[in-house]
Amino acid sequence: MPLVKTWQLIAGSAVAGLALSAAAVVTAGPWDSGQRKAERDRAASWGRTGGADHAAGGLPQAAPSAPGVLPGLAARAAQGGRSPADGLAAALGPLLADPALGPVRAASVVDTATGQVLYESGAGEAMTPASTVKIATASAALAALGPEHRIRTTVAPGAGPGEIVLVGGGDPSLTAKKKSPAGSGGSLVALAADTAQALKAGGTDTVTLGYDDSLYTGPVRHPIGRNDNIAPVTALTADEGRPDDSVSGPVARSEDPSKDTARAFAALLRDRGIKVTGEPARAKAPAGAQPLAATQSTPVAGLVERMLTHSDNDIAEALARQVAVTAGAPASFEGAEKAVADKLASLGVDVTGSRFADGSGLNRADKVTPRLLTGLLTKAADPRHPELRPVLTGLPVAGFTGTLRARNAGASPAAGLLRAKTGTLSGVNSLSGTVVDPAGRLLAFAFLTAGAPDGPTAEKGLDRLAAAVATTS
């Protein structure tokens, strides 16, 4: 029974996605509009760093009805004793040979219920994954922190009278807006209200404000350099360092997110009757100081889902550092790299040849194998690892949400049935996720390619591969 429940759970989530498709598209729309073009044009290069994928596109067509899926069951019965692997090999082999995918291609397809490998081609070859590395980041974060963990931002008393310190915990959902358009998360508005109340209760109405972002160490700039798709990575950043009301898409980010967040907090305190003297300055909260107030992030499960659905680079880098913090390692790019690798190895997956130079996939130094990606997806479907389930539920739905909204859409037989993480840098195209096949099996797949002469054409080739997995029994 547990095996049946596993695929039924994921299949049910896909059906629910169809039923709620209109709402899902409206919700997801602002997160990914416009990012693909900017990341391709401005972030990607053949150097060691590059951009990420966030495909824009039109609204999806109507969801396919159930009769479009059910005939596959009868078709499978007519095939007699043919091995499922034989059918996939016959379907995927010619598609994987498409020159539009580039000279280097690798694939893995696994039955998540049994662990049976149904198709492999170069599955052990470590390749640059682009944003599909976020599957690894998500798995490590969920395993290290747990899905219900929340990241705290606090205000602590300073070292002297009338001093307070805003202490960053690395919450990537922290917002200075009255109502965050990106959903729930830590709120500077609520934190300021609670802080003002605590100060007034203690007879204080004038303070100096310091800010403490020392939880993270090392360079704050991603190796890609200044880029509109990712802010400097600090432990105290509100609204992903965006200076406007956007919640997605490329925009010039704050040069100093920590200081700008502290300035925003000072303004909120003033609005609530607390006089803040001078400019906020970097300070260290005294050890053991009890917070005056605190606000908490979206649970890690929600952060993972948002990151995967919308390929959010800022959340990805924050989660990688949280893995390092939990491991007691330096919360830097280097510390996160080792901590993520160690945590994934502890799950029992083979990380040979892998490198997690960042959490987002912007760095071309990242390396994973298709086998690792399908292994992680299989772990996430395993009833023994319920903590990893958001890895599956956060994947975009083909034709409906996030970076798959305009892919395998409309009349595609994979629309609504396929969930996958996209990955794109110049010359690098990847797709990895899950699909319920005509026989009712939940299959995990990963397709990694390099050297494609044209990105959009390569994407269409990947979509055909994924659709073949969805329709072959």
Side-chain angles (χ1 to χ4, degrees), residues 140-471:
L142 289 164
L145 302 164
E148 299 304 318
H149 178 77
R150 294 175 183 261
I151 303 165
R152 295 209 313 166
T153 304
T154 62
V155 176
E163 296 178 3
I164 60 173
V165 181
L166 177 64
V167 184
D171 175 10
S173 67
L174 185 66
T175 180
K177 296 175 172 40
K178 289 183 179 179
K179 183 177 181 181
S180 172
S184 64
S187 171
L188 280 182
V189 177
L191 185 62
D194 292 344
T195 300
Q197 182 178 13
L199 289 171
K200 291 175 181 177
T204 299
D205 61 5
T206 302
V207 297
T208 59
L209 175 63
Y211 60 93
D212 185 349
D213 61 358
S214 61
L215 182 65
Y216 291 174
T217 61
V220 300
R221 284 284 179 193
H222 189 282
I224 196 175
R226 282 180 173 81
N227 187 270
D228 288 355
N229 296 293
I230 187 168
V233 185
T234 79
L236 183 63
T237 300
D239 300 299
E240 298 186 340
R242 297 174 179 273
D244 56 16
D245 290 331
S246 68
V247 295
S248 69
V251 65
R253 308 300 185 91
S254 166
E255 291 293 307
D256 190 345
S258 296
K259 188 161 191 173
D260 286 348
T261 300
R263 285 171 172 161
F265 186 69
L268 290 168
L269 286 176
R270 293 187 185 103
D271 290 344
R272 285 152 183 79
I274 301 298
K275 181 179 179 181
V276 181
T277 61
E279 271 280 290
R282 187 169 272 106
K284 183 74 174 174
Q290 290 299 308
L292 296 170
T295 186
Q296 298 190 96
S297 73
T298 303
V300 167
L303 293 175
V304 162
E305 290 181 330
R306 190 186 303 176
M307 172 189 70
L308 292 172
T309 299
H310 309 295
S311 202
D312 190 293
N313 300 317
D314 299 278
I315 294 177
E317 297 303 345
L319 289 178
R321 275 166 174 68
Q322 291 297 316
V323 176
V325 169
T326 302
S332 61
F333 283 105
E334 293 78 9
E337 176 178 349
K338 184 177 187 305
V340 167
D342 289 347
K343 181 52 64 174
L344 295 180
S346 75
L347 289 173
V349 294
D350 185 3
V351 296
T352 302
S354 298
R355 185 182 176 191
F356 308 99
D358 67 4
S360 61
L362 289 168
N363 198 328
R364 289 181 180 273
D366 291 327
K367 300 293 178 185
V368 305
T369 66
R371 192 175 292 152
L372 171 64
L373 293 175
T374 54
L376 290 172
L377 293 167
T378 299
K379 289 286 182 184
D382 191 331
R384 294 170 295 183
H385 289 282
E387 76 281 5
L388 300 181
R389 200 58 45 80
V391 173
L392 303 185
T393 57
L395 294 171
V397 180
F400 290 95
T401 62
T403 56
L404 281 188
R405 184 179 59 177
R407 295 176 59 173
N408 265 317
S412 168
L417 300 179
L418 175 75
R419 306 190 73 141
K421 181 71 201 73
T422 53
T424 305
L425 301 171
S426 290
V428 174
N429 298 92
S430 55
L431 190 66
S432 181
T434 64
V435 68
V436 178
D437 75 354
R441 300 173 302 176
L442 180 69
L443 306 185
F445 65 86
F447 302 111
L448 302 181
T449 72
D454 180 71
T457 303
E459 286 179 359
K460 291 178 182 177
L462 291 173
D463 291 346
R464 285 191 289 270
L465 283 162
V469 177
T471 57

Side-chain angles (χ1 to χ4, degrees), residues 58-99:
L59 295 176
Q61 302 300 312
S65 60
V69 178
L70 297 177
L73 298 176
R76 184 172 184 268
Q79 292 172 358
R82 188 179 73 170
S83 164
D86 293 340
L88 275 174
L92 297 180
L95 294 175
L96 196 64
D98 184 353

